[in-house]
Amino acid sequence: SALAYARARGDGGARVLVFGCGRDTPFWHDLNAGGTTLFLEDSPFWVAKATDPATGSCPHCDVLQVDYKTHLGCTGNRRFKHDPCLVMPDLVALTRA
């Protein structure tokens, strides 16, 4: 993975996009020390659980709350570029490698 490669080279991290927060949120953030880690989360519960300054597991993490318009079977044989089921936030969509 790009993250493992950057760490092995000693680059100090990579640009990582993580879909969802959970009990492992601090792990992913810390694993990419020196890089940029952005979490996308649709559950207000998990956004708060991760980022609350007083009780959050990772209050220093960058978490964007998103509203997925997907549903089971949305992808099927469709191609995302023609009929997107997942619309990325501008912060992600406008980012270039």
Side-chain angles (χ1 to χ4, degrees):
S1 77
L3 180 56
Y5 180 71
R7 298 285 295 179
R9 285 186 37 195
D11 290 346
R15 291 171 43 195
V16 177
L17 180 62
V18 180
F19 290 87
C21 291
R23 291 184 176 94
D24 60 349
T25 300
F27 167 79
W28 290 110
H29 180 269
D30 294 346
L31 183 65
N32 192 33
T36 301
T37 306
L38 177 64
F39 296 85
L40 300 183
E41 177 57 61
D42 65 329
S43 166
F45 170 82
W46 281 107
V47 170
K49 189 151 180 77
T51 61
D52 184 273
T55 61
S57 62
C58 198
H60 50 283
C61 288
D62 292 321
V63 179
L64 284 181
Q65 186 167 341
V66 294
D67 182 22
Y68 295 126
K69 303 294 184 199
T70 57
H71 54 84
L72 189 60
C74 180
T75 56
N77 290 324
R78 298 178 188 178
R79 302 282 182 218
F80 283 114
K81 64 182 179 180
H82 299 297
D83 188 12
C85 294
L86 173 62
V87 177
M88 299 299 271
D90 285 345
L91 179 63
V92 175
L94 300 175
T95 300
R96 299 286 179 222

